[in-house]
Amino acid sequence: QPSSQRNSTPCEWRRRNRPSMSRGSGAGYDRHITIFSPEGRLYQVEYAFKAIKSVGVTSIGVRGKDSVVVVTQKKIPDKLIDPSDVTHMYKITKVIGLCATGKGPDIRNVVQKARHAAAEFRHQFGYEIPVDFLACKMADQFQVYTQHAYMRPMAAMCMFIGIDEERGPCLFKNDPAGYYVGYKATSAGAKEQEAVNFLEKKVKGANAGNEFSQEEAIQTAIACLQTVLGEDLKAKELEVGIVSSDNRNFRLLKTEQVEEHLTAISERD
């Protein structure tokens, strides 16, 4: 061993023996959240999307003319777990609901931040935060997580729903990259692309996103989930959240109500 190597410090030795980033187009770039690859990709952000899909849960959101519906799978990972403590639906304010898909601990952190932002807005301005502004605030935070080396993106895809006083029914989706936009219908999770293909066939035309009744919106979302999963779901395997013009409060449908919609879908088919 040369004397120059024997006398070098550990930092110098690591620096000399570090793998070169020039080996292969993506080599090394996935270790840093803040560095773009030569192709313009942020690998850590892409890995966050994969982490969301790896959970194996799919969620659907559909907007109607006077309501917005979100449907997701309710998976109980262990027979000993109390099913009432497992949920992907969260009430941010009385009138804004969140359907979150991804890693549980990250979702809990997002919910906490969203509730804090909503409470702060109400305290400052004296009225409830609009759903589009809340989605924007959360997207701003998500985007910051893609800039700093000491942070990582949240493995959570969020759908915010609410009835806005000016815009009417609203459905917004945030992703780990900090992108957010309003949707007529959308999906998140393991079978996202298959669900989007299904929804594009169902939600189309000049008046798309404003023509479904409350029942049609619920049944379209459930039918979409059943189709992409390729199985008939039971009521206890689903969570259905809704807001509507006649009752702006975010609420979950009871098991009996979900069962009625499942029966209507099977009779229709």
Side-chain angles (χ1 to χ4, degrees):
Q1 192 178 17
S3 59
S4 61
Q5 284 196 17
R6 275 201 305 271
N7 299 331
S8 62
T9 65
C11 287
E12 287 170 346
W13 186 88
R14 276 199 299 272
R15 199 158 44 241
R16 256 200 318 272
N17 292 278
R18 183 184 296 154
S20 170
M21 278 194 178
S22 60
R23 285 188 215 145
S25 59
Y29 289 97
D30 61 350
R31 294 183 195 154
H32 301 274
I33 188 67
T34 54
I35 299 175
F36 282 104
S37 76
E39 294 86 27
R41 295 164 66 180
L42 282 174
Y43 287 101
Q44 286 293 329
V45 175
E46 291 180 21
Y47 296 162
F49 281 89
K50 286 181 181 175
I52 292 166
K53 290 182 185 291
S54 73
V55 175
V57 171
T58 304
S59 306
I60 313 290
V62 177
R63 196 179 79 196
K65 63 185 173 189
D66 58 2
S67 61
V68 193
V69 178
V70 277
V71 177
T72 189
Q73 293 172 266
K74 183 164 183 165
K75 283 189 173 181
I76 313 298
D78 190 325
K79 287 180 182 176
L80 297 176
I81 290 175
D82 182 353
S84 64
D85 284 335
V86 177
T87 184
H88 285 92
M89 301 284 188
Y90 299 90
K91 191 181 282 190
I92 304 303
T93 69
K94 277 197 301 185
V95 294
I96 295 178
L98 165 63
C99 173
T101 313
K103 301 284 187 184
D106 284 12
I107 289 171
R108 207 167 58 245
N109 183 265
V110 171
V111 170
Q112 191 178 356
K113 283 184 165 66
R115 284 173 176 163
H116 178 75
E120 205 171 60
F121 186 96
R122 183 172 173 77
H123 176 73
Q124 191 173 354
F125 299 106
Y127 64 99
E128 294 289 0
I129 190 170
V131 65
D132 60 324
F133 187 70
L134 177 61
C136 178
K137 288 274 283 183
M138 295 309 296
D140 288 347
Q141 288 199 28
F142 282 14
Q143 194 275 333
V144 169
Y145 294 160
T146 69
Q147 280 180 264
H148 296 286
Y150 55 86
M151 291 178 171
R152 68 161 174 78
M154 286 290 175
M157 195 85 81
C158 303
M159 288 188 221
F160 293 97
I161 66 169
I163 305 291
D164 191 74
E165 290 179 8
E166 294 177 6
R167 301 175 59 138
C170 290
L171 168 63
F172 283 87
K173 185 169 81 170
N174 291 31
D175 69 26
Y179 180 75
Y180 88 102
V181 73
Y183 284 90
K184 299 165 186 174
T186 189
S187 169
K191 300 276 186 181
E192 180 178 350
Q193 192 53 54
E194 294 91 329
V196 167
N197 295 341
F198 178 94
L199 291 167
E200 282 174 352
K201 293 171 188 167
K202 294 285 181 185
V203 184
K204 58 185 178 183
N207 206 29
N210 300 312
E211 55 188 16
F212 287 137
S213 67
Q214 187 172 306
E215 283 72 26
E216 285 171 335
I218 293 169
Q219 288 170 24
T220 300
I222 294 174
C224 175
L225 196 55
Q226 289 197 135
T227 303
V228 299
L229 295 174
E231 58 181 293
D232 291 333
L233 295 165
K234 297 175 186 150
K236 65 179 181 181
E237 297 171 339
L238 290 172
E239 283 187 291
V240 182
I242 186 168
V243 289
S244 53
S245 297
D246 58 351
N247 182 0
R248 291 180 60 204
N249 291 343
F250 176 71
R251 60 210 182 270
L252 294 181
L253 295 191
K254 293 176 181 169
T255 308
E256 305 81 61
Q257 293 172 298
V258 177
E259 195 66 65
E260 286 172 17
H261 288 294
L262 286 168
T263 305
I265 291 166
S266 60
E267 286 174 356
R268 185 184 66 194
D269 294 345

